[in-house]
Each structure stands twice: as structure tokens, then as C-alpha cells.
Amino acid sequence: MANFKFEVKARDAAGRIGKLTLNGKTVETPAIMPVINPKQLIVTPKELKEMGFRMVITNSYIIYKTPELREQALKEGIHNLLGYDGIIEVDSGSFQLMRYGDVEVTNSEIVKFQHDIGVDVGTFLDIPTPPDVSHEKAEEDLRITLERAKEAEGIKEIAMNAAVQGSTYPDLRTYAAKKLSEMNFEIHPVGAVVPLMESYRYKDLVDVVIASKHGLRPDRPVHLFGAGHPMIFALAVAMGIDLFDSASYALYAKDNRYLTPEGTKRLDELDYFPCSCPVCSRYTPQELREMPKEERTRLLALHNLWVIREELNRVKQSIKEGTLWELVDERARSHPKLYAAYKRLLEYREYLEKNEPVTKGSAFFKVSREALKWPTAVRAKERAERVKPKFLETVNHPIFGEIPKYLSLSYPFAQSEGEENFTIEKPAREEARNYIMAIAEYQFGEGAGEAFKDAFVELSRKTGMPRQIKVKGKHLATFRSADGLLTLGIEGAKRLHKVLPFPGMRVVIDEDAEPFARKGKNVFAKFVVDADQGIRPYDEVLIVNRNDELLATGQTLLNGEELKAFQQGLAVKVRRGVGE
């Protein structure tokens, strides 16, 4: 059985940077798999690897049906056939089934063949139901897909995709996702979405993806089958997509089409190349037009790949910086249908808020009206309303409206930019404790302020801002200058543990991890047995044992649902243990 691991490293919106390890090979997600047609190589697999593409996809059905390719693959293995030592995923013929209505192979035959030729990730022969068929037709196709999934689960010896089907019916997509999540698969593609993308039905694509995500386990990577245009990467990753694949780089090149992050240009339309990749730096549009068809196609394909790679890197950098929503907002304005999809995504408030980090490395930028519907803004206003009854004095914020005065130092209120500036007032010494109590209520939940009701707040001589929070010389917490939130010390964690009823802000770990957490060692996901479902990414949390005894405090990378689901990777970066 394949050695498959997936862990989260960073996140923003519902997007995540992940580390996927399979058969000793590692890929950072989000990642795209260029499609390789084994019968017609425009760009060689070796060139793809040199460009940084560590994962590719090809069609096992084409290899199966082509005698010379089949014989070579069975004899030498698919990696030698393609001349590629990275991760190779394969499709099963499902795309041909959707396009042509029939394939000459059974589900069990193609699964066995994929194993025999040594693929890294296989795909069983699911039924990709096109958009807008009747609900009855979609339901019947899904029944067959789930039967084949069960069959594949029983015979597979390699990592395998289990595609979520259900046409354009959200109820069927969620049902399929839940059923497949109960089975032993590694990756979940969202299938049969190419017709939606080809017709620019991005709004429907959002509904299909979110319905699928609602039912899927959060610890498995999600692959958007057939998606490869850079203009949708930011939106798709913000929805929670980890993997892409596409032959668009080659298909567009054959048609003299040139990819950009904002859309597609025809070569005949271009006087200048808006790109500095190796192709665009060396040639002019006119020079490419004058080339023989084969060479022109190859160079356009290489450009298209560079643009795809660059945009995915841009998306990953925005996740690191906490600016993915800004990138989504920018990209959405390149096409009206993409803009409509962006607005539709923002309607899924509960799903987005659950995945949105509580703090970011970048300020909140009100770049558009839609920014006020980003989950950071929605959550901030809701939590501010929770704090208001206890801290009645308010100030008027130019972006967020009326907010409690004592939250005016904290993210995102202080760390925001809009049309008008927000003046931050330094806290008077006699009011400093009110700021800390209000921040605790905002950050940890109702009643958390009680843990700091007798605290002394040390103000910085240089800035006048809060620094250390203490009681009788004991350190409770630190006021973070970067985001105006609190980092707990052990004494502060003990106090918070007393005032917040179980399971509030708690991560429960098993007996094996307990001694390490006490000593301040990090907590890994496989040792987590329970967690508060209200925990959000980057929250400061309390680490306890099954008896609710406090062991440590730290910052979680995962939300409450993920903490219970993930079995791999870091769960909580421990800051302090009770035994240190």
C-alpha cells in the first residue's frame, strides 16, 4: 500500500498550503498536474520537472487501449514510459466516458492495470454526470459510482482518487462526498466540472465545490478535475481546492492562444507580450506568428506553463501573507461571470468563517464593497456585538462602524486600511485593564475577561501600548503589538481554564502525548482526541488531557473540526507547558 501523507502548513480563507508526501516524493499544494498525452508530447515530462512541476497526470485508459504503450508500461512501468520520476496520477477513462458515452474496460480491470504499471495515484471508473441532467439520472449515475468506489476500495493497492459526482445538484454532491469520506481513499476530486468551466458557469462551479466540501473529510486533499486556467486559481483555492490538472496549456497553444492571469488572448491580437517568462523575453508576438506551427505551439505551451506556475506561486504567497481575499477580489474583476462567482462564494458565510484564520500577517484592506463580506469582517462585527454589553463605551470606526472602544487596538480594527484613517488612541493607565478584559472576551469567548479582572497591565514607555499582563508579579499574557491580541502564559491559561467551561478553547490529547505537552513540546494531530468545535485557525488554545487537566497552551494551525479529523502533521504549536 502506498505511503501517503497530507498535512497543512499555512492557510488563508478556506485555502491552505499543504505538504503531500507519496511513495517518498513530496509536493507542496496548491499544485497543478499538467496533463501528459502519452501519444503526443508537446512539452516533455523532463522539461515539466525542470520547470518545477513535481506531479503530472496522464490517462491510463489511453495507455491501456494503445497496444505498444500498454506493453511498454507493463514491462517498464509508467515512470520509465514517460521518463518522469515525480508523482504520476492517472485518470481512468471517465473523461472519455463523459465525452463519448462508452469505454472498453471495466472498473476492476482499470484499477488493476493502474497498479500493474506502477502509478502513484490511481482513479477508479466513476460516472461523470454532466450538468443539468435530471435529478433521477444524476442519482442513478451516482449509485453506480458509489458501487464502483466500494469495488475499488476492496481491491486497490495504491493511493487512489475518489471523485465526487452528482451533476449540478448540491444535495447529491454532499451525499456523495460523505459516502466517499467513509471509505479508504486518499484524494477527492470534484468531477464533471469541465462543462461548467468551458461555458463560464463559475457561479454554478462554486455551488458544486462548496456542496462537495460540506461533505468531505477536511484531512484529505481536494482536486478540481480539469481546471487549469490561472484566472480561477485564486477563487478555487479560497474555496478549499488543493490540486488542479489541465491540458489547457497545450490545447490553447495549438489554437494560438496565450494565457494570462486575467484571461486568454489570441496571438493575433498581441503587439506586445505582457510577460517576462523565457519565451516572452526572447521573442515578440510577430516572431512567434511567423514560426512554423509546431515550434510556435511548443513555445506557446511553454509560456502557458510559466504563467500557470507563476499564478500558483502568487496564490501561495498570498496565503502566507494573509492576502488571499485581496487576490480573489482582484482576479474576479477580470470577467463578469467570475465576479458573480466571487459574490456567490461570499454567501457561504458559515463555511468560510469556520476556515478563516483569527489573525493574519497583513492588515485588513477594504479594497471593495465585497471586502465587508469577507469572513474576517463578518466575524469581527459579530464578536464586537458580543463584547458591547459588558463594555458600553464605543467609538466609530470608518470601516466597521460602531465598535467597543476597548477593542480599538486589536485585529482587524486597528490593523485596517480604508478610504478614511482610523485614529488609534493610546490607552490611559486606569483603563488599560478594560482593554485586556475586552480583548479576552473578543478572542476567547464570553466570560473570558474574568480571568484578567485583577490584572496589572504594563504599558510600553516607548509606545504607550500594553505589553505584559501580570498579577502579583506572575505573567498572565502578552499583548501582541502586531495584532493587538493576547498570547497566554501558563498562569493566564490556568485562569482561562477556570472561567471557560469545557470544552471552551480546549484541545484534548491522549495519554501518549501528555508528558511531551507538559514539557512544552508541540502537539501533533494524531494525538488529538477531541477539540472545541468553535476553535479557528491560529487561535490561542488550552491543551488538556481527557480529565480536563491543563497541560499546556499554544497556537493551533487547525480549526476544531480539523483537529479531530487530521492524523498527520502539526496541530498545535505549543508556547508553554505546565511542567516547564
Side-chain angles (χ1 to χ4, degrees), residues 4 92 101 107 129 138 192 295 450 467 497 504:
F4 182 93
S92 60
N107 184 46
T129 313
E295 180 63 11
E450 289 294 302
R467 289 182 63 189
H497 183 262

Side-chain angles (χ1 to χ4, degrees), residues 496-510:
L496 199 62
H497 183 262
K498 286 181 181 178
V499 300
L500 291 182
F502 185 87
M505 301 307 294
R506 286 160 171 83
V507 177
V508 185
I509 62 173
D510 69 14

